[in-house]
Amino acid sequence: MEMENQMESQKRRGLSQDDLISERTGDLGCIGWLLVILSGLLTTLLFPFTIWFCLKIVQEYERAVIFRLGRITDRKAKGPGIFFILPCTDSFVKVDLRTVSFDIPPQEILTKDSVTVSVDGVVYFRVSDPIASVANVSNADFSTRLLAQTTLRNVLGTKNLAELLSERDGIAHSMQSSLDEATDNWGIKVERVEIKDVKLPHQLQRAMAAEAEATREARAKVIAAEGEMNASRALKEASLVIAESPSGLQLRYLQTLSTIASEKNSTIIFPLPMDMLTPFMRK
């Protein structure tokens, strides 16, 4: 008996979505058709009164999945507008086709490099197949919410902290693909997934801030050292040019005096070239 059940379940897994719907919308049987005929006759006999129970209306953004004696009557949902049901044998379920958004509660996640972070997000989805959303899952909205939480934990558990902070778009796209594939049999289309916030522990925030500050200071020292090296090279080249022309040194003296005199200083330092002092030093 168990082997027969397993073979039957495997056969059902091999069927397509249309085949499963066709199986659900199969023959009602003799007793079923008899009840439908009796319901139709009763509706006809009490026509002025039963018209209010037979005509139903769904909005533009809604669809109706009709069950007749527990079976889905058609492969396509009814609506929008007016449709007809038999009051005794038919029932229907309304399905909203509008896009629904919900927040993923903050999840405590251990990253690949053993850092605990709190991450939350938002998911946008809609019903693409009303019949599948009613027949294949008991509560498509609630199931999608739970699956989004577990998918967030599973995807972020394979990332380290640096990837989590720098590759949010890639992580969101990966989550969307996983959710869309998992909810396809439920008639759900996941349109968008976004990572809202990544909360780090306070101690880790202070450590990262200290590391960033040390990195900036080291970079500033390297830049200052490179500036001094370039300045020393420029001074060396300037000294070589001045050494080739002694008169160039006098012009540099005059330029320095002009710069000092323009700043309204009370004291002016007048440099004397060593060539002028050499005769006095010999005496």
Side-chain angles (χ1 to χ4, degrees):
M1 189 66 181
E2 293 180 358
M3 292 294 295
E4 293 179 356
N5 293 334
Q6 291 178 359
M7 292 176 64
E8 183 66 19
S9 62
Q10 290 177 359
K11 291 180 181 178
R12 290 179 62 87
R13 291 192 191 98
L15 295 175
S16 62
Q17 186 70 21
D18 293 338
D19 295 334
L20 292 176
I21 294 174
S22 299
E23 184 180 345
R24 297 191 187 103
T25 59
D27 191 7
L28 297 176
C30 297
I31 298 176
W33 282 114
L34 180 61
L35 292 175
V36 171
I37 293 172
L38 291 176
S39 178
L41 292 175
L42 181 62
T43 303
T44 304
L45 292 176
L46 301 177
F47 174 70
F49 303 101
T50 56
I51 189 65
W52 305 107
F53 300 97
C54 296
L55 295 180
K56 301 296 180 180
I57 300 175
V58 292
Q59 303 296 331
E60 180 68 29
Y61 53 84
E62 294 177 332
R63 296 295 183 270
V65 180
I66 301 177
F67 293 88
R68 178 166 294 164
L69 297 177
R71 291 180 176 272
I72 298 175
T73 59
D74 197 356
R75 294 186 180 184
K76 186 178 180 181
K78 300 295 183 181
I82 301 175
F83 62 94
F84 180 84
I85 64 171
L86 294 176
C88 298
T89 59
D90 293 356
S91 61
F92 69 96
V93 178
K94 287 184 179 181
V95 179
D96 196 331
L97 301 182
R98 292 177 293 184
T99 299
V100 179
S101 63
F102 67 90
D103 292 329
I104 302 176
Q107 304 291 315
E108 294 289 338
I109 298 171
L110 184 65
T111 61
K112 189 176 181 179
D113 50 354
S114 302
V115 178
T116 302
V117 295
S118 178
V119 184
D120 58 353
V122 60
V123 177
Y124 299 86
F125 72 95
R126 61 178 175 84
V127 176
S128 60
D129 188 350
I131 295 179
S133 67
V134 173
N136 292 350
V137 62
S138 60
N139 190 333
D141 181 85
F142 182 69
S143 300
T144 304
R145 293 172 186 266
L146 292 181
L147 183 61
Q149 297 179 22
T150 56
T151 303
L152 178 65
R153 300 175 68 91
N154 293 337
V155 172
L156 296 184
T158 61
K159 307 291 183 180
N160 55 40
L161 183 60
E163 294 174 347
L164 179 59
L165 296 176
S166 61
E167 299 179 2
R168 292 192 180 187
D169 293 339
I171 294 173
H173 182 71
S174 177
M175 283 189 58
Q176 179 183 351
S177 300
S178 300
L179 282 174
D180 196 19
E181 182 180 358
T183 58
D184 184 57
N185 292 330
W186 301 345
I188 300 296
K189 173 64 178 177
V190 179
E191 296 182 340
R192 190 178 183 88
V193 178
E194 292 293 341
I195 304 298
K196 291 177 61 178
D197 191 17
V198 179
K199 296 181 180 179
L200 304 177
H202 294 291
Q203 295 180 353
L204 182 59
Q205 292 181 9
R206 290 194 294 268
M208 293 178 65
E211 181 182 1
E213 184 178 0
T215 302
R216 288 194 298 269
E217 291 179 355
R219 188 181 298 112
K221 291 180 180 180
V222 170
I223 293 174
E226 290 179 352
E228 292 180 356
M229 181 178 63
N230 294 332
S232 62
R233 289 177 179 176
L235 289 174
K236 179 182 178 182
E237 294 177 358
S239 63
L240 294 176
V241 173
I242 292 175
E244 294 177 357
S245 177
S247 60
L249 182 61
Q250 303 297 328
L251 295 175
R252 182 58 181 166
Y253 290 159
L254 295 176
Q255 184 180 3
T256 303
L257 290 175
S258 176
T259 303
I260 295 174
S262 62
E263 296 180 359
K264 298 180 180 180
N265 294 324
S266 58
T267 303
I268 297 177
I269 300 175
F270 184 78
L272 292 176
M274 295 300 297
D275 296 340
M276 296 179 61
L277 299 177
T278 300
F280 298 100
M281 293 175 63
R282 291 176 179 176
K283 293 181 180 180

